[in-house]
Each structure stands twice: as C-alpha cells, then as structure tokens.
C-alpha cells in the first residue's frame, strides 16, 4: 500500500531555512497531489500548500506565500517542503499527506518536528 | 478563504455516551466536508469524507451528516479509544481549511 515517510527532526536558527522531505512508496506518484500541513504545539492543523507532480506546479496558502516552496521529484517519488526566513512561530510538526480524492487526505506521513530557536 | 468553525472546542464525556460535534463553514461547501481524528503525537486519521461517507476500517459508531454550511459528526457510543481531538476540513476550494478542533476528554 501507499506509504509516506518523512525526514527527521530539525533544529534551526531564526532567519534560516528548512527543507523537509516526504518519500512516497507504493502507488503511482504522479497521479496524486501532495499536500503539506503543519501543527504548532498545542494548536490545530494548518494547510500550507500542495504540489501537483504531473504538472510540476504548486499552490500555497496566503499565510505562507513567498516563504514556502513545495516541489515534487518524480525520479525519486519525493516531495519537498522548504520554508525560509524561519521564525520561532514556525516551530511545529510538519505533515505531508496524499488525498484519495481532491482534498480528502487518507494517507499521511508520520510528521517532522521543526524547532526554530536561537 | 473559507473559515471553518467547530463547536464545542472541548467536551467531557463518558464511555457509552452519544456525542455530537458541529462544524460550520463560512460559505456553502456542498458536501465537501471531511472529519479527522488525531491522537497525541500521531498524524490525523480520516474518519468521514464527503460529509457522510465512512472511511474504510472506521467503526460504524462514527457518522456524519450535513450539507451546505452546517455539518455534524456523531459518535453513537463512545469507546475508550475515541478520546482524541477531532477536526473538520473543507475540500471545496483552496486553501483546504481546517476547523480549530474539538478535544474530547474522559469525564
């Protein structure tokens, strides 16, 4: 079955960037979008954006416009989420997810904890 | 962006109770509404999609209803493993926004 496996935890300084990966195994990579969602400590889920691998295009939430880049590498069936100009408020667990249909997320990665601290 | 408002934000209930969580969209989303369950330290788990369709493997005590702007998630008889946080999410239009969650605790 389809599995999403994310890269490990990161600790970053304010102002730096972080790149988190999401390896997709099983299924067909290009036929589904990959979405990224984040969850700050004790907070709810926040949709960040998605990539459409077959087109190589991405859509982003307004809150992250200009700071986030989501890509997909079809050769390695991996999606990447890069967040720049990090602030302490970006401390969160970042999840990738794949929708069964449209924006219905039935498959999730295990989450990657990113801590932003000086 | 479509705003999703969940209520209550938390609730206390006992095993065997019937509980209902409400989700309201800021505009009509037809039945493009999903419900997720999340336990601490884990990824969300899809429970209900399309407002009322039960995801494969999810117990039948979970049910969803609604259309347009008002939706509900009902658990007919709470089990110990159901104590978690529940989120609604609209998949009508980008960005696919989530509600702020309902934390379900044991009374």
């Amino acid at each position: 079955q389809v599995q999403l496996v994310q890269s490990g935890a990161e600790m970053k300084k304010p102002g730096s960037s972080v790149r988190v990966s999401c390896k997709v195994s099983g299924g067909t990579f290009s036929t589904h979008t990959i979405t990224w969602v984040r969850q700050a400590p004790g907070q709810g889920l926040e949709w960040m954006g998605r990539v459409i691998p077959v087109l190589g295009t991405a859509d982003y939430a307004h809150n992250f416009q200009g700071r986030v880049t989501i890509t997909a590498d079809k050769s390695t069936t991996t999606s990447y989420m890069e967040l720049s100009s990090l602030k302490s408020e970006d401390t969160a667990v970042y999840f990738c997810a794949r929708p069964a249909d449209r924006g219905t997320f039935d498959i999730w990665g295990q989450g990657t904890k990113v801590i932003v601290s000086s | 962006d479509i705003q999703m408002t969940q209520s209550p934000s938390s609730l206390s209930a006992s095993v065997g109770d019937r509980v209902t969580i409400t989700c309201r969209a800021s505009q009509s989303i037809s039945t493009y509404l999903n419900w997720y369950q999340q336990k601490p330290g884990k990824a969300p788990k899809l429970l209900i999609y399309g407002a009322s369709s039960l995801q494969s493997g999810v117990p039948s005590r979970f049910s969803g209803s609604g259309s347009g702007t008002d939706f509900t998630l009902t658990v007919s008889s709470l089990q110990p493993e159901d104590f978690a946080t529940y989120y609604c999410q609209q998949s009508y239009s980008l960005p696919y926004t989530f509600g702020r969650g309902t934390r379900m605790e044991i009374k």
Side-chain angles (χ1 to χ4, degrees), chain A residues 36-40 44-46 48 64 83 89-90 92-94:
Chain A
W36 288 84
V37 173
R38 82 174 182 182
Q39 185 169 41
L45 302 166
E46 184 176 21
M48 299 179 68
F64 299 97
L83 188 62
E89 306 92 273
D90 294 316
V93 176
Y94 290 78

Side-chain angles (χ1 to χ4, degrees), chain B residues 9-40:
Chain B
S9 57
S10 65
L11 68 90
S12 295
S14 302
V15 172
D17 283 354
R18 178 185 179 89
V19 297
T20 297
I21 299 169
T22 297
C23 181
R24 174 166 288 175
S26 60
Q27 67 181 73
S28 177
I29 58 171
S30 184
T31 57
Y32 289 98
L33 191 282
N34 308 307
W35 290 97
Y36 299 85
Q37 176 194 67
Q38 188 181 33
K39 295 183 178 179

Side-chain angles (χ1 to χ4, degrees), chain A residues 69-90:
Chain A
T69 304
I70 298 173
T71 58
D73 184 338
K74 289 182 282 187
S75 67
T76 60
T77 65
T78 300
S79 175
Y80 297 92
M81 186 285 298
E82 182 166 9
L83 188 62
S84 62
S85 303
L86 289 170
K87 300 170 269 192
S88 58
E89 306 92 273
D90 294 316

Side-chain angles (χ1 to χ4, degrees), chain B:
Chain B
D1 297 0
I2 298 174
Q3 307 302 314
M4 307 301 294
T5 304
Q6 268 182 255
S7 62
S9 57
S10 65
L11 68 90
S12 295
S14 302
V15 172
D17 283 354
R18 178 185 179 89
V19 297
T20 297
I21 299 169
T22 297
C23 181
R24 174 166 288 175
S26 60
Q27 67 181 73
S28 177
I29 58 171
S30 184
T31 57
Y32 289 98
L33 191 282
N34 308 307
W35 290 97
Y36 299 85
Q37 176 194 67
Q38 188 181 33
K39 295 183 178 179
K42 299 294 187 181
K45 173 187 174 183
L46 179 66
L47 298 176
I48 301 285
Y49 63 94
S52 60
S53 296
L54 193 67
Q55 174 69 356
S56 176
V58 174
S60 59
R61 61 181 179 272
F62 290 94
S63 64
S65 66
S67 67
T69 60
D70 294 314
F71 303 87
T72 59
L73 172 71
T74 298
V75 187
S76 60
S77 178
L78 276 173
Q79 298 303 300
E81 60 268 27
D82 299 337
F83 291 94
T85 301
Y86 294 82
Y87 295 93
C88 63
Q89 175 240 341
Q90 62 85 13
S91 54
Y92 180 79
S93 67
L94 294 176
Y96 294 141
T97 42
F98 292 85
R100 300 187 73 169
T102 295
R103 185 175 179 182
M104 197 177 298
E105 299 172 323
I106 300 173
K107 185 184 288 184

